[in-house]
Amino acid sequence: MKAGFGTMERLAEAAAREGELNVIALPRDWVNYGEIIDTFADKYDIKVNELEPNAGSKRQLDVAAQLKPDVFDLTMDVAIAGAGRFAPYKVQGWQDLPDQIKDPSGGWYAAYGGYMSIGYDPRAVKPPASFADLLKPGYRVALDGDPLRSASAFDGVMAASMRAGVPQPAQGVSLFAKLKQAGRLTEPAKANTIVAWDHLNAARSAHQPDAWKVTIPRDSALGGYHVQAISKTAPHPAAARLWQEFVFSDEGQNLLQKGFARPARTEAMRMKGTLDAEQAAKLPKAPGPPVILTIPQADAAKAYLKRQWAKSMG
């Protein structure tokens, strides 16, 4: 074990002495975080303080000095930009994490990922084979928020913009502008089709199997990861490290998968036989490896949407 705590047992003892953990931006219905938090709290007898559950990634860092979270759950672009604020720490499962989803120094590393997907009501519309299909009559479509403020909604527009694995922001904006002009871009409560992360659409489908289905279009395998990091100024440094060990343990990774996320250690756990295969089979079928936007691609797309989105939706 790193960071002066010796063994896992000593780390757990030090964390128990601290007695608390401050987490931020972890909604209980997001990738099964409610069960993950409760399991961790019971297992180690640590009180988990849940700060601003609905905060976005940038907000977490903006309020860190005031709210003092121990750990963060961030989109990769925000983690890369804020890398100087994290305490390097490599969990026991470090070697199982693909190189492209971790900072070599241990500042941040992905815990889970997902694909942008289309959820739809099969009683109202046919299964869409592509984003272009959403322009056909009958689809009342919603994004998961405002793409100028919500990472999920932004990635929804980016998924609609994919052409041969490369984002074409104008194509995505154009599609949603056409839906708006046709009066078929609406809010989630009124939609029969929602563009959102596959874990959100799959969780809904699990509760309403006849009323909600999910598909990942073959030509738009856009993926994204959420990465974990420990605050350099964590008030509970041992509990923060123990939390990361739990999230990246076989138990923690399987609990994330129970929330229809795709665990970062999936391949290694599959090889070791520790992945919950029954739950893995319930995940929406992926058309291939995810396309992950580079930072320059994402920055260029955000700049384009800033200029064009409101104008196109007018």
Side-chain angles (χ1 to χ4, degrees), residues 294-308:
T294 65
I295 299 296
Q297 284 175 334
D299 286 347
K302 284 172 187 169
Y304 181 83
L305 261 67
K306 207 170 228 179
R307 292 193 309 271
Q308 298 296 332

Side-chain angles (χ1 to χ4, degrees), residues 66-298:
Q66 173 194 348
L67 298 183
K68 297 181 171 52
D70 290 298
V71 290
F72 302 103
D73 177 293
L74 306 162
T75 55
M76 201 179 286
D77 58 333
V78 172
I80 290 168
R85 314 204 21 200
F86 311 140
Y89 179 76
K90 294 183 179 180
V91 291
Q92 288 185 322
W94 176 259
Q95 297 301 335
D96 294 345
L97 302 174
D99 288 344
Q100 71 270 25
I101 61 170
K102 63 187 179 186
D103 165 37
S105 72
W108 53 263
Y109 27 95
Y112 61 92
Y115 287 83
M116 192 47 62
S117 69
I118 301 174
Y120 62 95
D121 182 346
R123 302 165 303 178
V125 292
K126 290 180 177 172
S130 67
F131 277 91
D133 278 358
L134 302 185
L135 295 173
K136 294 176 180 175
Y139 292 97
R140 292 196 313 281
V141 183
L143 282 162
D144 187 22
D146 176 352
L148 298 180
R149 294 177 181 81
S150 155
S152 178
F154 169 76
D155 284 314
V157 177
M158 286 302 96
S161 83
M162 299 306 287
R163 186 179 290 164
V166 179
Q168 308 282 347
Q171 178 177 300
V173 172
S174 171
L175 182 139
F176 288 102
K178 285 173 184 169
L179 285 167
K180 179 77 190 296
Q181 285 153 18
R184 294 195 286 112
L185 185 63
T186 184
E187 57 197 64
K190 296 176 182 172
N192 59 28
T193 307
I194 299 178
V195 178
W197 289 113
D198 63 339
H199 63 82
L200 294 172
N201 275 322
R204 178 171 175 178
S205 180
H207 289 114
Q208 304 173 286
D210 298 324
W212 203 251
K213 302 289 183 191
V214 54
T215 184
I216 303 166
R218 191 175 62 252
D219 58 350
S220 304
L222 181 71
Y225 286 95
H226 272 247
V227 305
Q228 309 302 300
I230 296 169
S231 172
K232 256 187 185 171
T233 56
H236 313 104
R241 286 157 177 78
L242 187 64
W243 168 259
Q244 302 296 22
E245 291 290 358
F246 179 70
V247 168
F248 285 88
S249 69
D250 290 349
E251 183 180 9
Q253 293 277 285
N254 277 321
L255 284 170
L256 284 165
Q257 186 179 248
K258 190 175 172 184
F260 297 94
R262 297 169 192 268
R265 291 183 54 238
T266 291
E267 293 313 315
M269 288 171 64
R270 187 174 281 135
M271 286 170 66
K272 293 172 188 170
T274 56
L275 187 73
D276 181 342
E278 191 180 331
Q279 179 61 27
K282 295 177 185 175
L283 300 182
K285 188 165 172 48
V291 173
I292 307 294
L293 296 184
T294 65
I295 299 296
Q297 284 175 334

